[in-house]
Structure formats: structure tokens, C-alpha cells
Amino acid sequence: MVTLDRKLVRDLWRMRGHLTAVAVVACCGVAVFVTMQSAYDALVRARADYYDRFRFADVFATLTRAPVTLLPRLRAVSGVASVDDRIVQEVTLDVPDFTDPATALVVSVPDEGRPLLNDVFIRSGRYPEPDARDEVLVSESFAHAHGLRPGGTLAAVINGRWQSLRIAGIANSPEFVYVIGGAGVFPDDRRYGVVWMTRTALGSALDMRDGFNSVAIRLAPGADERSVIDGVDEILRPYGSPGAYGRDEQVSHAMLDGEIRQDRVTGIVVPAIFLAVAAFLVHNVLMRLIALQRGQIGVLKAFGYPDGRIAAHYLKLALAAVVAGAAAGVALGDWFGGGLAAMYQRFFHFPTLAFELSARNIALVVAIAVAAAVAGAWPALRRALALPPAEAMRSESPPTYRPLLLERLGLASLLTPVARMWLRALERRPLRAVAAILAVGFSCALLVVGQFGLDALEETVRLQFREARRDDVRVALREARGPSVEQDLAHLPGVTRVEAMRVTVANVRNGPRWKRVTVMGLRRDGELHRIVDARGAEIPVPANGAVLSASLARILRTHAGASVELDFLERRRRQVHVQVAAVVDEPIGLFVYLERDELSRLMGEGPGYTGAYLRVDHDRLGELYDRLKHLPAVSGVTLREATIRSFLATIAENIRISVTILIAFACTIAAGVVYNGARIALSEQATTLASLRVLGFTRGEVSAILLGEQAVLTAIGIPAGLLIGYALCGWLAHLLETDLYRLPLALEATTYGYAGATVVLAAVVSGLAVAWRVRHLDLVAVLKSRE
């Protein structure tokens, strides 16, 4: 072992406390990177494999009904590689030992062979027999929620007829990686599922043996999606199609794509914060070590050691801590990543979702960690290299004394002697103080960001299901019905109020910009579904004109008072111009709101409603559910409180796990910054503190002098961190925004209080560890050392 290497080992042992703090912070950053990047890779890999093996379609279209003789024309569209016609219908289910009404999307599969596109993956059981008209496949999430197994039974109302169904197998499909009901916002596995039924059985039940009402299309390589959609729309328009759409508008794919993008963003932003703090700690440690070893550096230079070897020696010290932290972070990230993959497997329904720790990710994150260490070490190394041997062997000149800013302002009487010592130390090293404040601030900001997910989702639930929606039950009708539907529904058991509504689909245009959206016709004096903005203020349904979601208005670059074109995509395909009466900021979806009868008039129809909101006497819910299950006109039922409970049991629980991990990591930053700063201050002020002890100061007074500087930095860093956290939350909300959902920038006061209190607690714990060292300060050894 060469001389400098022996010195390196001794320095590593002597600086073990400082370097451990660096390693732990680097470990956290690397662990987050490995976890999120590997989760991102796993999702991308699983999606690509699933889509390819089971032939996920590129373009989708629904229609009222078309004959199978139309299929050759669809296959002849330029850019189309294959076409799979299907029959799709939402039905009401009766599940054994479950009183609530459940809804299923029934999708046809070939009697023999497998679907050409959107094939099914059989998790257990078998494919339905061709001659077994009552055998079905059930989606895995729905079956798991109800404990259904092959050989079990269900009942369904199909085309007004009650039918018993036998479960042949449990299955998944790339079309339903993420299962949401037609009227739902969040997944509800107990009340919404997918059922696959043979083409002959479903066609017979719906009187559609030689027809289809859904089509899936695979594009040829290099085909233009837009031109294919236009060609398909031209063919299917006479058959009641509201327009074909690509994968980006397919709900399951869009939700999965949003999660993948979120992993990508989180895997970049959060590790960057941790590694930046690690670089700051490396800088502090090396600056202090080089200051303490000025004489040794001068001797090494005098004996002919080149600058490169001296710089490499100190760089090895930094790299040893960071690389050790990176190694631990890789192992920790591998463990967290396995748990995250298991959570994703419960949430997204892939045949397999394998978490793999790739050599590329390990090499990349280690390289980034090393770069952070070098960036933090370089200013200190440059200082060491600039020292001439003769100057290095002299003690460092003491800082130039000058009064504090407060003293120069004539406010010295406000400061105690101890407070002057704190502020003087900060004022003499302003850059280091600012960096320490930012490091503490980022730990506080991470706590705010972690809690932001829960706050935003709770705010979404409050706005969407407490302020906007005040119904108990939402009923979807199989087809539009006249005004008498309100009276019919009002006579159901326990119903105390009914508000019918109209829902359709339209392309909204403003010049060359357009978007396919849901158009909702609401009752003007409605109480059960109101239009509510992000502040909870109600926006009245206009008698004339439309209310647009703020995100839709941004896409179209329009505003209140302007005019947009509505191109209705069903039946008569009318095009009309309406004025934008208001723009509303909503967290979910892109919507256009109109008065319900005005919507019917614009569509060229008489009053007609496709669903209704019901307020119900809760004591009679059981009777109502039983009636709704058997009503042929009802295609689906959504229960507001059940939807909220399902959401809290799935999405919110997953977020809490992530938040807990992030909190632990943020506390590590706070503790590491305060501990490292206090240890460095102790080494810098050891002689002063020992002299004070000899002069009669108590251990508590000496500890207060030492830790007071860190307390000031923490006190300034916390409010700075709250501001940084707010800004980061706004930035992340913007990065993660999609057409399907937007995170409202909502942060509770308790989140700020919790973040601040957590950082204070971490600082106190690390401060106590340093105070323990002050209690065991060797006064004789310190006072004998040369400065």
C-alpha cells in the first residue's frame, strides 16, 4: 500500500461520520433512481410484450350496427393491415353474495380460434366451448374482487332477457390493462368488469348474428393513423359511428401511458435533488478537510508529489463515500422496485410484470453519482491545487473581522453574544450558508411533494364527488329516452329526486384546432350534478352557450365569449356553432356542458335523455338495487360512495406507500445536512469551544453555541423549502397533466406543518448526536493541537 493510500484509509476512518452522511444521502438518491427507472423499464417492457403477443389494435370504432358485408371495404382502406369486427354491450350483472348492482362490458370472441386482435390471456380455466352458449370469460380484477373461479356462475340482463352465465375461465386482455366503467372515473373492481362471450351466443342474445357494433384495426407499418381514421369514419358514419380513435384516446392505454410518464418524471426529479445535496455535502467535507490538512498538502508538494496525485487522493475520499452509498442504493432500489412491481401487477393487469435490475441502469446511476461527487469535490480540489508549498505549510489566516450587518445598522443591542457568534459564522461564509439552507429546504420540499399526491387526490374527490356530484346513484340508459323517463325512475323504491341528463360525443373545433370530447347536457336547476371550478364555486348551466373545461379551452386556444363549432358524432352528425359562456377548471376529463334540452335542440332532436342522477333514501337501497338489476332499459349503474371507497382502497393506498418511502428519504437529507454541518462546525470551532469549557461554560452552553448556527440555517431553510415544495408541486402537476386527469395544485396547511415539523425533528435528532460528541470533547488534546 502506497503512502497516500495509507493516509486515505486513516482519513476515511477519522471522517467516518461526515462521509456516512454523504453515503446515506447518495444511497437515497440512487435507490429512487433505480426503483423508478426500473419500474419504468418494467412497465414499458411488459406493455410492449403484451401488446405484441396479444395483438393490441391501433384504431378503435363503435357504431350502432353494421352488416358483416361492410368488412371488405374497411380492409381495403389504405394503411389497414387487419380488421376484427366484434359485438360489444354493457349489461347489468347479478353477482352471487353481492347486493349492489354491478356492470360488465360484454365483448364477443370467435366461437372457434382466437380473436384476430385484442386476444385474451387465460389466467385460469379455459376458453369457452363453441357450442356452450352460456359460457364466458371474466376479467381477472372483477373475479378476484368477488372470489369468482372457473365453474362459478353469474347472471346478466342481456337485451332485456335474464340469462345465467357459467364461468369457463379468468382472463385479461391488452385492451383492459386498466379497467374503468363507461361512466366511471376511478377503477371499481367490485362493480365493473369485463366479460367475454362467444360471437354466436352474444349475437343471438342481441339479435346481431350477421352484424357488428365495434371494430378494432391494426395499422400496416408506416401507415398514417389520421388518414386511416378518416377513411374508416367515411365508411362507418352512416351506421351510427361517433368516429374512430387511436390508442391515445383508448382509456386503458392512456392511463397506463400516464403512469409510465409519471415514473419517468419522478425518476429524474427526485434523484437529482438527492444527488445535488450529496454533492453539497462532499464539497463541505473536502473544504474542511483540506483546510485542516494545509500543512500536510504543503509537505507533499515540497517532497515532489504532483498536483494530480494530491487531487486524486482527495477525490478518492469523496468517491469512496458516494460509491459506497450508490452500492447500497442499488440494493435498496432493487428491493423497493420488486415491491413496486408487485403493486403495479395488482393495479395493471399484465400476464407478467417482471422487475429486472439492468446493468445499464446501474452503470448510468453510478456514473451520475460519481459525476455529482466530482462536481462537489472540484471547488475544494481546485483550492488545494492552488496552494504553493510554502503558503500551505503556514496556518490559514483568520477571517477578516468586521461588524455584522445588524451591528452596522445600530441594532447590536438586539443580539446576545451567542447570537452574534452564530450570525458572524454565517455572514463570513455566505455561499456555504445559502447552500446549506437550500439543502435543508429541498428536504422540506420533498416532504411537501410527497404529501402533495394525497392532497391533490383528496381535493379531486372533494370537487368531483362532494361539490359537483351530490347524487347517490347514476343510471346509464341503453338508449336515449323521452322526458317520461324522470317519472319512471322517480317511482323506483327509495328514489327521492331524479335529474335526467344527456350525454353525447362531439368534435369541438376552433379554426384548425379540434378535440374529440364528451358533451354533457345538464338540468339548469340541477342539484345532483353541478359545474364547479377548482375553488368550489358553482358555475350555472347557461340557457344558451356552453361551458368548457379549462384544459379543453387551452387546447383549442379559446376563451369565454368566443365561439366554437360542435360537430356531433352520432345520428345526424350536425355541425353547429355555440358561444363559450364560461371556462371551468376541472381536475378530470375534457367536457363541454350545455343545458340538456338545448343540447337536444342543437342535435336536431326532441328532448331525450341517456341517463339520470338519483338521490335515494338509504334505508331502501337494497330494494332499489334489486330493481335496477332487472330493468332492461338500464345498461349501467354507478354508486358515488362506492366509487370513492374503491378509490381510497386502491389508488390512495398505493400513494401512501410511496409517500412513506419519500418521507423517510427526506428525513435522511435533513438529518444528513444538519449532522454534517454541525460536525464540520465542531471541527472548525473545537479550539474555541474547548477554551470556553475551560473558562467555565457548561456543556449545554457550549452545545448551544455549536448547534445554534445549524438551528438558524434550519429555521431559514424550512420556509424556503415550503416555497420550493410549492413550486415543485406546480411543476410536477404541469408535467403529469393528461387529457384524462390533472392534479389540482392543492396543499393543505397540515402538509406544510407536517413537513416543517418533520425536518425540525430530524434536525433535533442529528443535533443530539453532535451534542453527545461535545460532551466527550478532549479539552487537553484540542488545546494542544496547532492551528
Side-chain angles (χ1 to χ4, degrees):
M1 183 180 291
V2 298
T3 303
L4 285 183
D5 288 339
R6 286 197 295 270
K7 178 180 179 300
L8 175 64
V9 173
R10 289 195 298 269
D11 287 343
L12 286 172
W13 177 251
R14 188 168 62 252
M15 304 291 290
R16 61 188 181 277
H18 305 75
L19 297 176
T20 299
V22 174
V24 171
V25 173
C27 170
C28 294
V30 170
V32 173
F33 181 91
V34 170
T35 299
M36 303 312 298
Q37 186 63 36
S38 298
Y40 167 83
D41 290 344
L43 285 175
V44 170
R45 188 170 53 248
R47 181 179 67 176
D49 179 67
Y50 199 13
Y51 285 7
D52 182 62
R53 286 174 54 204
F54 293 88
R55 304 176 296 283
F56 185 43
D58 298 300
V59 174
F60 305 83
T62 59
L63 51 145
T64 304
R65 179 176 183 152
V68 292
T69 55
L70 198 67
L71 294 176
R73 290 182 59 193
L74 291 173
R75 296 189 180 101
V77 173
S78 177
V80 171
S82 56
V83 177
D84 193 11
D85 61 300
R86 309 177 301 176
I87 302 172
V88 175
Q89 182 70 53
E90 276 198 347
V91 303
T92 303
L93 293 181
D94 186 18
V95 183
D97 302 320
F98 189 63
T99 59
D100 294 4
T103 305
L105 183 69
V106 183
V107 182
S108 68
V109 291
D111 294 357
E112 298 182 359
R114 304 300 287 265
L116 183 63
L117 300 176
N118 303 328
D119 195 5
V120 290
F121 166 72
I122 308 295
R123 179 70 73 180
S124 62
R126 57 173 175 79
Y127 200 77
E129 296 290 343
D131 57 348
R133 299 291 184 91
D134 62 344
E135 287 192 346
V136 296
L137 299 172
V138 177
S139 58
E140 183 181 21
S141 56
F142 187 79
H144 178 75
H146 291 283
L148 301 176
R149 292 179 175 80
T153 60
L154 292 170
V157 178
I158 303 178
N159 199 24
R161 291 188 290 270
W162 189 259
Q163 186 171 342
S164 179
L165 305 174
R166 287 187 296 137
I167 301 172
I170 309 301
N172 290 318
S173 166
E175 191 175 4
F176 304 105
V177 174
Y178 186 88
V179 182
I180 296 182
V185 178
F186 305 117
D188 187 351
D189 294 336
R190 289 178 62 79
R191 293 168 184 83
Y192 192 88
V194 183
V195 171
W196 290 270
M197 197 172 187
T198 61
R199 176 66 176 263
T200 298
L202 187 56
S204 298
L206 295 175
D207 298 325
M208 206 180 295
R209 296 179 183 84
D210 298 320
F212 64 94
N213 64 1
S214 175
V215 64
I217 298 171
R218 195 80 179 266
L219 300 180
D224 180 63
E225 182 184 276
R226 187 68 255 167
S227 64
V228 171
I229 289 175
D230 291 341
V232 170
D233 283 348
E234 184 178 351
I235 296 171
L236 296 181
R237 187 174 294 116
Y239 298 93
S241 172
Y245 55 93
R247 282 185 183 178
D248 59 330
E249 294 187 54
Q250 203 266 344
V251 174
S252 172
H253 175 82
M255 294 300 294
L256 177 57
D257 197 58
E259 184 64 32
I260 289 174
R261 187 168 64 171
Q262 180 176 331
D263 282 353
R264 188 67 161 174
V265 171
T266 305
I268 293 173
V269 174
V270 176
I273 294 174
F274 279 102
L275 293 178
V277 174
F280 161 73
L281 295 180
V282 166
H283 172 77
N284 277 0
V285 170
L286 287 189
M287 286 290 285
R288 180 53 191 160
L289 184 62
I290 288 170
L292 290 174
Q293 297 185 355
R294 283 170 56 92
Q296 297 178 27
I297 293 172
V299 171
L300 290 172
K301 287 188 174 187
F303 275 91
Y305 280 85
D307 287 347
R309 287 193 63 187
I310 295 173
H313 165 71
Y314 286 103
L315 184 59
K316 287 179 185 178
L317 192 79
L319 292 179
V322 171
V323 171
V330 168
L332 189 61
D334 184 33
W335 182 58
F336 281 148
L340 185 60
M343 185 178 73
Y344 277 152
Q345 185 63 57
R346 294 193 301 270
F347 199 64
F348 298 109
H349 308 292
F350 293 103
T352 57
L353 181 61
F355 178 87
E356 296 179 5
L357 191 61
S358 71
R360 179 182 64 84
N361 284 340
I362 295 175
L364 178 60
V365 74
V366 170
I368 294 172
V370 167
V374 172
W378 176 244
L381 298 178
R382 189 173 57 182
R383 179 181 178 183
L385 298 179
L387 288 173
E391 182 182 342
M393 286 187 285
R394 291 199 302 265
S395 298
E396 186 176 10
S397 300
T400 303
Y401 172 81
R402 65 171 183 171
L404 291 168
L405 176 61
L406 290 177
E407 291 174 327
R408 295 197 297 272
L409 294 175
L411 302 176
S413 59
L414 299 178
L415 301 175
T416 66
V418 172
R420 291 185 191 184
M421 295 177 65
W422 298 342
L423 297 179
R424 190 171 292 126
L426 297 177
E427 195 171 301
R428 284 175 179 170
R429 299 180 178 87
L431 293 180
R432 190 170 84 177
V434 169
I437 289 169
L438 288 177
V440 173
F442 273 116
S443 68
C444 189
L446 282 177
L447 291 165
V448 174
V449 170
Q451 195 68 21
F452 165 62
L454 285 175
D455 286 351
L457 289 171
E458 288 176 1
E459 180 69 3
T460 298
V461 169
R462 185 186 72 83
L463 291 173
Q464 203 77 18
F465 293 100
R466 305 295 186 197
E467 299 293 335
R469 290 271 305 274
R470 295 183 171 183
D471 62 293
D472 297 310
V473 177
R474 175 176 171 174
V475 174
L477 302 176
R478 205 167 301 284
E479 58 185 20
R481 300 174 70 88
S484 63
V485 70
E486 283 193 324
Q487 295 181 358
D488 296 338
L489 292 172
H491 287 93
L492 291 176
V495 174
T496 59
R497 183 178 177 85
V498 179
E499 291 179 8
M501 45 88 176
R502 181 74 162 91
V503 178
T504 188
V505 179
N507 287 330
V508 189
R509 301 181 186 276
N510 179 34
R513 300 176 183 85
W514 65 278
K515 191 69 178 178
R516 172 189 169 113
V517 300
T518 299
V519 182
M520 298 194 69
L522 302 176
R523 186 166 156 176
R524 284 205 71 198
D525 61 346
E527 299 177 4
L528 303 186
H529 188 164
R530 308 181 305 154
I531 305 174
V532 175
D533 66 15
R535 298 184 302 275
E538 181 179 2
I539 296 176
V541 179
N544 297 292
V547 177
L548 271 61
S549 296
S551 295
L552 177 60
R554 285 194 293 269
I555 292 171
L556 301 178
R557 296 188 184 177
T558 190
H559 53 84
S563 177
V564 295
E565 179 184 295
L566 291 180
D567 179 9
F568 294 107
L569 299 178
E570 65 174 77
R571 299 186 182 180
R572 302 185 184 185
R573 300 295 295 260
R574 296 191 64 180
Q575 296 178 352
V576 299
H577 284 84
V578 297
Q579 187 178 34
V580 179
V583 172
V584 58
D585 191 7
E586 296 182 303
I588 296 177
L590 301 177
F591 294 101
V592 173
Y593 297 99
L594 293 160
E595 197 278 327
R596 61 184 188 179
D597 292 335
E598 174 68 4
L599 173 58
S600 296
R601 185 188 69 79
L602 293 173
M603 295 178 67
E605 304 173 353
Y609 310 122
T610 57
Y613 298 103
L614 311 181
R615 182 174 288 161
V616 182
D617 179 357
H618 286 212
D619 292 335
R620 303 189 66 186
L621 278 175
E623 295 177 66
L624 176 64
Y625 293 164
D626 190 59
R627 286 290 300 278
L628 289 174
K629 289 179 185 179
H630 296 81
L631 286 180
V634 174
S635 64
V637 178
T638 305
L639 312 179
R640 183 174 64 106
E641 289 299 327
T643 300
I644 296 173
R645 288 196 301 271
S646 174
F647 158 72
L648 294 176
T650 53
I651 299 177
E653 184 61 32
N654 294 339
I655 291 178
R656 285 191 185 96
I657 295 173
S658 302
V659 168
T660 301
I661 295 172
L662 195 58
I663 287 171
F665 285 174
C667 290
T668 299
I669 284 187
V673 169
V674 174
Y675 179 78
N676 209 299
R679 285 294 307 273
I680 289 173
L682 175 59
S683 64
E684 291 175 340
Q685 302 175 26
T687 302
T688 301
L689 298 176
S691 300
L692 292 175
R693 286 282 293 116
V694 171
L695 292 174
F697 279 66
T698 66
R699 291 188 178 93
E701 290 170 332
V702 170
S703 298
I705 293 171
L706 174 65
L707 297 176
E709 179 183 340
Q710 306 307 313
V712 172
L713 293 173
T714 303
I716 300 174
I718 288 174
L722 298 180
L723 292 175
I724 295 171
Y726 184 84
L728 280 176
C729 290
W731 184 46
L732 288 174
H734 172 71
L735 290 177
L736 299 175
E737 180 176 329
T738 69
D739 289 349
L740 290 177
Y741 63 88
R742 292 160 296 285
L743 292 176
L745 188 53
L747 289 164
E748 299 289 337
T750 53
T751 294
Y752 292 122
Y754 175 78
T758 303
V759 172
V760 168
L761 179 61
V764 168
V765 171
S766 58
L768 290 175
V770 175
W772 181 86
R773 298 188 67 86
V774 174
R775 291 178 61 86
H776 295 79
L777 199 63
D778 188 339
L779 303 182
V780 175
V782 170
L783 293 175
K784 286 172 63 177
S785 64
R786 183 178 69 90
E787 280 289 344

